[in-house]
């Protein structure tokens, strides 16, 4: 089986590393490809950084109106190839085909937003701050930028960063997850059709060796990362120690509060989609569901019935709503956490362990699972499970529920379901999370807004998407100018 190539300096190149890692279909364990994986991938990174540095000298001086033109073509190419890209996402990542298409649509929205960079980059001008003296600010590129992307959204997350970096005049290097490299391989086949300077955008494979090579290379000025909190903290510390700008999105443990006045039918459907979408493998997945005043168990019973109806299977099969988790190790870890919750005293309302899908018996499948009355100091409540597991937590008041939300060490998302405007306003004001949802199960911001995150869910100052991305990928320069008449030549 052919080993995947890097895309460096405008050409597809074999890696310097001869060791490989298998790319596995999580639904069947079929080997889809082999990807370079070993210590010599740092040599690939070095070559990519060098090429990006050369391309940067030309690209940074291209007018911004011209810099966004290739993005318009890239948007069109992705739209024309979205079905093929979505199938690749499903094959290597496991999610349903509908989820894969939706993922790419969010990527397209970021390209569209980045096309507004000529306006978004506009800065400030003050005339006559003193007599005859003007002051203004301009934005200039940061330099060579790199993105280290995760497995769970192989098509969308690179577009939180890539189009903005290019539109702002930077060069760019992408290191996709070794678990899901095929999606970006296809995207880079499309990028290869764009009229861009050679070396402006590069793709390198590998694992930790590639990551460290990017973090330690002095020519790389900015790093974007999405992944677990443990790795995000490492990326941030090592990157900033080396003087780089870093935006590192970490993990989450997202709480959802359901008030007794909520619309049960709507709430149930939305929460079930939020918990079990992408098999729970997303940093905006709902996890801890707090039911306030549900004395008769009406909300609980409705959530259990909704979870039972979720169809689990191979994502390219019609009607499948939830696919497998990414690896056998992930499946084992999730099932161990379910066991831990039971050992800690939780009541197992719905058991998704030991799931078998006909025709895909080797797949990493876990069906929807629900635990009730998990101890608030239990490991399941505090740990990002990254699997299709819902924890139900009954509480008595909204104040008690908000206090629980704010005890979370993470701060990615928090949501409330209610028909009370007062409850909604109280919640959005007091909840300590960067993304707030009111009657929304997955508070995922549109491309015009930053993908916010607080506490252990984010390390840095500026997030991906929108104006935050423009600010991250530019550095400001303040100019103070005076031109007295006697200093100005007349013609």
């Amino acid at each position: 089986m052919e080993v995947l190539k890097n895309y460096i300096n405008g050409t597809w190149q074999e890696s310097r590393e001869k060791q490989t890692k298998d790319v596995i279909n999580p639904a069947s364990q079929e080997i889809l490809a082999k990807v370079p994986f070993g210590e010599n991938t740092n040599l690939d990174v070095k070559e990519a950084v060098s090429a990006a540095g050369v391309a940067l000298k030309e690209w940074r001086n291209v007018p911004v109106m011209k810099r966004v033109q290739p993005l318009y073509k890239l948007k069109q190419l992705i739209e024309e190839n979205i079905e093929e890209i979505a199938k690749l996402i499903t094959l290597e990542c496991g999610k349903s085909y509908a989820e894969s298409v939706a993922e790419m649509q969010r990527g397209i929205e970021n390209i569209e937003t980045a096309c507004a960079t000529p306006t978004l980059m506009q800065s400030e001008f003050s005339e006559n701050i003193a007599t005859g003296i003007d002051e203004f600010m301009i934005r200039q590129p940061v330099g060579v930028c790199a993105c280290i992307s995760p497995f769970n959204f192989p098509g969308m997350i690179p577009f939180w960063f890539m189009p903005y970096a290019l539109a702002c005049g930077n060069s760019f290097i992408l290191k996709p997850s070794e678990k899901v490299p095929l999606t970006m391989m296809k995207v880079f086949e499309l990028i290869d059709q764009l009229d861009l300077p050679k070396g402006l955008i590069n793709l390198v494979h590998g694992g930790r060796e590639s990551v460290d090579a990017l973090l330690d290379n002095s020519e790389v000025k900015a790093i974007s990362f999405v992944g677990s909190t443990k790795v995000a903290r490492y990326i941030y510390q090592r990157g900033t120690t080396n003087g780089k700008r870093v935006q590192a999105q970490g993990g989450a443990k997202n709480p959802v509060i359901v008030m007794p006045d909520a619309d049960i039918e709507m709430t149930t459907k939305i929460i079930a989609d939020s918990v079990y979408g992408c098999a729970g493998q997303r940093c905006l997945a709902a996890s801890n569901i707090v039911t306030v005043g549900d004395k008769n168990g009406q909300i609980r019973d409705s959530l259990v019935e909704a979870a039972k109806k979720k169809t689990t299977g191979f994502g390219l099969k019609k009607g499948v709503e939830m696919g497998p988790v990414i690896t056998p190790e992930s499946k084992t870890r999730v099932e161990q956490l379910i066991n831990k919750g039971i050992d800690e005293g939780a009541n197992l309302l719905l058991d998704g362990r030991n799931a078998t899908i006909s025709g895909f018996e080797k797949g990493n499948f876990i069906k929807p699972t629900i635990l009730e009355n998990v101890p608030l100091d239990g490991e399941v409540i505090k740990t990002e499970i990254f699997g299709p597991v819902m924890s139900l937590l009954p509480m008595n008041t909204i104040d008690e529920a908000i206090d629980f939300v704010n005890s979370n060490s993470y701060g990615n998302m928090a949501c409330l379901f209610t028909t009370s405007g007062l409850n909604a306003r109280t919640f959005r004001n007091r909840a300590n999370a960067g993304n707030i949802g009111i009657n929304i199960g997955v508070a995922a911001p549109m491309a015009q807004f930053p993908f916010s995150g607080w506490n252990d869910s984010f390390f840095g100052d500026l997030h991906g998407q929108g104006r935050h991305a423009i600010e991250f990928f530019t550095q400001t320069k303040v100019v103070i100018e005076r031109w007295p008449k006697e200093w100005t030549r007349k013609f």
Side-chain angles (χ1 to χ4, degrees), residues 148-205:
I148 303 159
S149 64
F151 78 83
N152 58 333
F153 286 90
M156 177 186 73
I157 287 178
F159 288 105
W160 286 359
F161 313 110
M162 182 197 305
Y164 300 99
L166 296 178
C168 289
N170 303 281
S171 54
F172 198 80
I173 300 166
L174 175 67
K175 207 288 299 178
S177 168
E178 65 277 6
K179 296 183 180 73
V180 290
L182 297 177
T183 300
M184 275 298 124
M185 291 290 288
K186 177 59 183 178
V187 170
F188 267 71
E189 289 178 9
L190 305 179
I191 288 173
D192 193 40
Q193 300 178 38
L194 305 179
D195 183 19
L196 294 171
K198 289 183 178 181
L200 184 70
I201 182 166
N202 305 272
L203 180 147
V204 291
H205 297 292

Side-chain angles (χ1 to χ4, degrees), residues 22 30 65 113 118 179 197 261 269 272-273 276 325 344 367 420 477 483:
D22 292 339
E30 173 194 2
M65 289 295 292
T113 301
K179 296 183 180 73
D261 63 331
K269 181 182 184 306
D273 289 344
Y276 302 119
V325 295
E344 291 176 340
K367 290 188 176 181
S420 165
K477 180 181 288 185
W483 289 103

Side-chain angles (χ1 to χ4, degrees), residues 57-93:
K57 295 176 182 178
E58 172 187 350
W59 186 248
R60 72 187 308 276
N61 291 318
V62 172
V64 63
M65 289 295 292
K66 290 187 177 180
R67 290 201 299 254
V68 299
Q69 296 309 310
L71 296 180
Y72 287 107
K73 184 177 180 181
L74 179 59
K75 171 184 179 293
Q76 179 185 350
L77 287 170
I78 291 178
E79 287 173 335
E80 291 171 352
N81 291 272
I82 194 169
E83 293 181 3
E84 183 179 353
I85 297 171
K87 287 177 181 177
L88 284 171
I89 293 174
T90 295
L91 284 173
E92 65 178 356
C93 185

